[in-house]
Amino acid sequence: MLECRPVDSLRLRFPDRSYADVLLGPGVHGIGRVPGGGIGPVAQDALVQVCVDRRGAWLKTGAGAQGVHVNGRPVRRMAMLRVGDAIYVEGTELLLLGVGSAAVDALPAASGGAAGDSRILLRGVGGQHHGRSFTLDRPRLVGRGQDCDIRIDAPAFAERHARVEVQDDAVVLRDLGSGEGSVVNGEAVRNAVLHPGDQLVFDAHHRFVVEAPGRPGPREPEAESAGTSDAEQPVDASGQASRSTHRLPWLLLAALLIAAALSALLLFGVSS
């Protein structure tokens, strides 16, 4: 079964190597101006914060932050992040990477055009195909050639760069002899096995995210997916009792109003 990767361990890379990779465990991590100039990890006065928990990661801008972008798109207050995103803070580039790598040395034999899975797709999030989606109901050829499903119109890009397909219930990236390969989650690769949430980049800025909206997601932890425990039952019961108690005054008031109305009707009826 095609499964989503949990966001349990990330790292932030400074491509200019001014700092070692910053491991991003669960919590809040600040990035801002450092002594001597430049951008780096800080404990306070952060220009941006990278927040990580079991649900994912997102970027929050701080007071005085200017020129903050994710994959070339400006961020004013907050933006969700994916592994492979390029974050720019006042002209300094940072890459959000996963700890593991999707790269593999060898892949199974090609499927020969066998049917894929229409519930899995590549969604463009940057570059020439931003906003477009390509379902993997069949193998998708990437390149500059006219016969390519995902055309990258750049003179230096290969005619047939790579192929993305579903095989044995997995999404596979196959290099077709390109000169520079591809980038998966910020790492240069040639062949790779992809998962939902992985970011795939061609020619530096043509970005795609693997999505599987029609496939079942990962199961929640046992403690959260289980039914209400015995210890929680009294809380629920007291909550119901509290709601019933709150309804009683309104019921009494309604009964009094009805009784008053009936009394008025009887009084006026007798008087007439």
Side-chain angles (χ1 to χ4, degrees):
M1 176 184 293
L2 189 69
E3 296 182 350
C4 297
R5 283 181 175 175
V7 181
D8 54 2
S9 190
L10 301 171
R11 54 196 169 107
L12 200 61
R13 170 169 294 175
F14 294 78
D16 61 4
R17 299 295 181 173
S18 54
Y19 294 92
D21 290 357
V22 178
L23 292 178
L24 302 177
V28 179
H29 309 268
I31 302 295
R33 302 184 185 96
V34 295
I39 299 295
V42 296
Q44 57 186 2
D45 298 327
L47 293 173
V48 299
Q49 292 178 327
V50 179
C51 308
V52 181
D53 63 18
R54 66 181 182 83
R55 297 167 298 176
W58 64 93
L59 183 76
K60 293 176 61 178
T61 60
Q66 297 180 354
V68 179
H69 297 76
V70 174
N71 299 333
R73 300 175 66 84
V75 178
R76 293 185 179 180
R77 289 185 297 179
M78 181 180 294
M80 294 300 297
L81 297 175
R82 296 176 181 270
V83 174
D85 279 346
I87 305 167
Y88 295 87
V89 181
E90 296 189 347
T92 298
E93 182 187 29
L94 306 93
L95 294 176
L96 184 66
L97 307 177
V99 171
S101 174
V104 294
D105 294 329
L107 293 172
S111 61
D117 193 330
S118 60
R119 298 173 296 175
I120 308 172
L121 56 88
L122 297 179
R123 181 170 64 87
V125 296
Q128 180 178 339
H129 296 286
H130 176 78
R132 294 188 60 189
S133 295
F134 300 86
T135 60
L136 296 183
D137 55 334
R138 58 186 175 85
R140 295 291 182 173
L141 185 62
V142 182
R144 182 167 50 88
Q146 294 291 334
D147 61 334
C148 292
D149 301 284
I150 302 175
R151 291 194 61 206
I152 305 297
D153 192 14
F157 202 67
E159 288 277 340
R160 296 168 65 88
H161 177 91
R163 184 170 62 248
V164 184
E165 61 185 339
V166 177
Q167 185 176 359
D168 296 332
D169 218 19
V171 180
V172 174
L173 168 70
R174 296 180 182 276
D175 189 84
L176 299 179
S178 67
E180 67 279 8
S182 307
V183 175
V184 175
N185 298 337
E187 300 284 359
V189 301
R190 291 196 174 276
N191 300 315
V193 175
L194 308 176
H195 302 80
D198 283 349
Q199 190 168 142
L200 179 59
V201 183
F202 302 112
D203 197 31
H205 61 277
H206 300 283
R207 296 176 177 271
F208 297 85
V209 170
V210 180
E211 295 186 348
R215 298 294 293 267
R219 294 183 58 185
E220 291 294 324
E222 193 69 24
E224 297 183 8
S225 61
T228 306
S229 65
D230 293 338
E232 294 174 333
Q233 292 294 341
V235 176
D236 293 341
S238 63
Q240 293 175 359
S242 177
R243 287 192 295 270
S244 300
T245 303
H246 286 305
R247 286 198 296 266
L248 279 176
W250 292 102
L251 293 175
L252 291 174
L253 180 59
L256 289 173
L257 290 174
I258 293 172
L262 289 174
S263 299
L265 286 174
L266 290 173
L267 179 60
F268 285 112
V270 172
S271 299
S272 61

